[in-house]
Amino acid sequence: MAFEHLADELDARRLASLQRQRHLFVTGSGRYLALDQEGDGQRYLNFASNDYLGLAHHPKVIAAWKAGADKYGCGSGGSFLITGYNHAHAELEEAVADFAGQQSALLFNSGFAANSAVLATLLTKEDLLIQDKLNHASLIDGGLNCAARMTRFKHNDLANLGQRLQQSGRNKLVVTEGVFSMDGDTAPIHDIASLCNQHDAWLMVDDAHAFGVTGNGRGSLAQVMPQAIRIYMATFGKALGVGGAFVAASNTVIEYLKQFGRHYIYTTSMPPAQACAVLASLSLVKEEPWRRELLEKNIMLFRQQAADAGLPLGDSSTAIQPVLLGDVAITMALAERLKERGFWVGAIRPPTVPVGGARLRITISASHEAQDIAALVTAIAEEYRVVVEQQ
Ligand SMILES: Cc1ncc(COP(=O)(O)O)c(C=O)c1O
């Protein structure tokens, strides 16, 4: 029978407790999540989404999306190079290029597309691509699918990066995340940029989880002069609470992506109303620092209380707080018991993280109240003991 491996692999994944499942939410961002009636219709405290600043439901962002739809219609009507480019896109490109201190920017429908476009378009088979081992799947797949030779350095290890930079390549591109999506730790951007400079390599930063949040909202850009980052990519689907992404770089790089980037050219452009919503969100990021201050306070509260409770925390000072459990069965059972107590947390298993790296991925938001965090820590500590005893 044809394609027999599909069912076999699905069975194997289920038997290894690695099967993924979607849940039907009425709303999947904000302080609370609500499951659809077909689920259980319950409300949960949300410690799993990436809406770090609580902007996904902000009235100004929603109003901007609605006004954009009234003005431009629902969809863009075409690809950027045919009929799908208008004032909302142009204004957003200018705003993010300015934010990133780069000459120009291009918009993409997703961060996955943006990363794929950069790597597939700019690199040739004479080039060397050097990536942090823990980079996001979009970067790793982009690297595997591009023409260049790819090598990966040990996570955040400057000595190992230095060794890899000795390898030959006509052009060398080093890629790191600003804040790592599953660990929440930050890359030493300043030191990586210096190494790149010494080796005449370019640095690309994927700031999906830092943009709008760390460094006073400037993400990794706060660590270096903008020119040290040759290619800056970030998404609008995390702290900005909307969706889509951008790449900011020199005029030449952006023009090259516009001319040759297949992920940019052959796709319907971002709905203009979405660009309007992102612009509104970006203004809030700039004008309302209190959201970041609240987030910082909540992160510190969580870390302090989790440390007091003896939870195995990762080394993260950002909104992504992993509780490192190692064992898949314990992780799944604990997430389930937390759910029964009204908390929704991410249960992360291989292959998203390395084997032995299963964890709860707790995300803290400015929307949380102090009592939410205290209640979560108590519940994790209590349920962890029960789950371990039951194993
Ligand atoms: C580090 C990182 N880069 C890129 C992406 C992809 O962005 P998007 O969700 O916009 O496709 C994500 C998450 O989804 C991410 O965590």
Side-chain angles (χ1 to χ4, degrees):
M1 205 175 70
F3 292 100
E4 217 164 333
H5 69 283
L6 303 182
D8 292 347
E9 286 176 27
L10 285 172
D11 282 346
R13 176 161 277 207
R14 190 172 37 77
L15 289 171
S17 300
L18 295 178
Q19 193 177 30
R20 282 141 165 74
Q21 210 190 340
R22 296 187 305 180
H23 302 277
L24 197 56
F25 290 109
V26 179
T27 163
S29 52
R31 184 178 171 208
Y32 288 101
L33 299 171
L35 272 188
D36 186 81
Q37 290 301 338
E38 279 177 32
D40 56 9
Q42 294 291 321
R43 197 171 83 138
Y44 296 87
L45 268 170
N46 173 11
F47 284 97
S49 77
N50 298 321
D51 180 24
Y52 305 126
L53 298 177
L55 291 175
H57 289 266
H58 197 289
K60 283 189 182 165
V61 179
I62 295 171
W65 193 309
K66 286 181 180 163
D70 285 341
K71 185 168 173 187
Y72 297 105
C74 289
S76 69
S79 60
F80 277 116
L81 300 190
I82 306 293
T83 60
Y85 183 60
N86 61 39
H87 280 294
H89 298 121
E91 203 185 324
L92 179 55
E93 281 176 354
E94 208 177 311
V96 288
D98 181 58
F99 194 93
Q102 300 281 352
Q103 289 177 334
S104 298
L106 273 193
L107 304 180
F108 289 85
N109 283 317
S110 72
F112 205 106
N115 282 337
S116 307
V118 168
L119 301 183
T121 312
L122 302 186
L123 294 164
T124 71
K125 65 179 184 334
E126 283 87 37
D127 300 334
L128 177 66
L129 170 62
I130 310 176
Q131 301 217 47
D132 188 288
K133 265 234 150 87
L134 294 191
N135 275 356
H136 187 257
S138 56
L139 290 166
I140 300 305
D141 286 10
L144 291 169
N145 294 332
C146 80
R149 189 159 54 82
M150 177 166 75
T151 177
R152 293 161 75 184
F153 64 98
K154 286 189 202 150
H155 177 52
N156 273 349
D157 186 326
L158 292 166
N160 196 243
L161 171 59
Q163 282 162 13
R164 286 171 200 259
L165 277 161
Q166 312 271 0
Q167 296 179 21
S168 62
R170 187 181 62 168
N171 306 293
K172 297 176 194 174
L173 180 67
V174 173
V175 188
T176 183
E177 290 180 29
V179 167
F180 285 85
S181 58
M182 292 299 134
D183 291 77
D185 56 343
T186 48
I189 297 292
H190 183 268
D191 296 337
I192 294 179
S194 302
L195 264 180
C196 287
N197 195 29
Q198 279 166 35
H199 291 269
D200 197 22
W202 277 20
L203 172 61
M204 170 178 178
V205 176
D206 172 338
D207 238 9
H209 295 276
F211 179 65
V213 195
T214 64
N216 238 346
R218 301 204 63 236
S220 298
L221 294 157
Q223 290 191 46
V224 283
M225 299 296 283
Q227 308 86 288
I229 298 176
R230 293 303 194 114
I231 302 168
Y232 183 81
M233 174 272 176
T235 68
F236 302 130
K238 320 275 186 207
L240 270 72
V242 187
F246 72 96
V247 174
S250 68
N251 287 335
T252 306
V253 167
I254 295 302
E255 185 58 24
Y256 194 89
L257 287 172
K258 224 184 277 173
Q259 295 300 327
F260 299 106
R262 297 170 73 82
H263 303 78
Y264 182 75
I265 299 167
Y266 299 108
T267 190
T268 301
S269 66
M270 170 190 288
Q274 185 178 332
C276 295
V278 175
L279 271 164
S281 190
L282 191 61
S283 297
L284 290 166
V285 162
K286 291 185 204 159
E287 289 157 14
E288 298 190 357
W290 61 265
R291 288 172 195 283
R292 276 188 296 280
E293 287 156 19
L294 202 52
L295 174 63
E296 281 303 310
K297 215 172 102 204
N298 284 344
I299 294 168
M300 270 158 46
L301 260 181
F302 175 79
R303 282 194 68 79
Q304 185 62 54
Q305 293 177 5
D308 290 347
L311 300 183
L313 286 179
D315 181 20
S316 160
S317 56
T318 69
I320 301 166
Q321 290 291 328
V323 176
L324 302 165
L325 301 167
D327 185 86
V328 170
I330 289 180
T331 304
M332 299 313 291
L334 182 52
E336 200 47 44
R337 291 188 71 93
L338 289 170
K339 203 170 129 195
E340 281 161 21
R341 285 179 63 160
F343 303 96
W344 200 280
V345 301
I348 311 291
R349 297 161 283 176
T352 304
V353 289
V355 172
R359 67 197 60 189
L360 298 181
R361 177 180 183 267
I362 311 282
T363 50
I364 308 292
S365 158
S367 312
H368 291 134
E369 310 224 332
Q371 75 254 25
D372 303 341
I373 291 168
L376 174 72
V377 172
T378 305
I380 299 177
E382 287 174 3
E383 297 302 334
Y384 180 62
R385 275 193 291 277
V386 175
V387 166
V388 169
E389 272 165 26
Q390 280 177 351
Q391 287 299 305

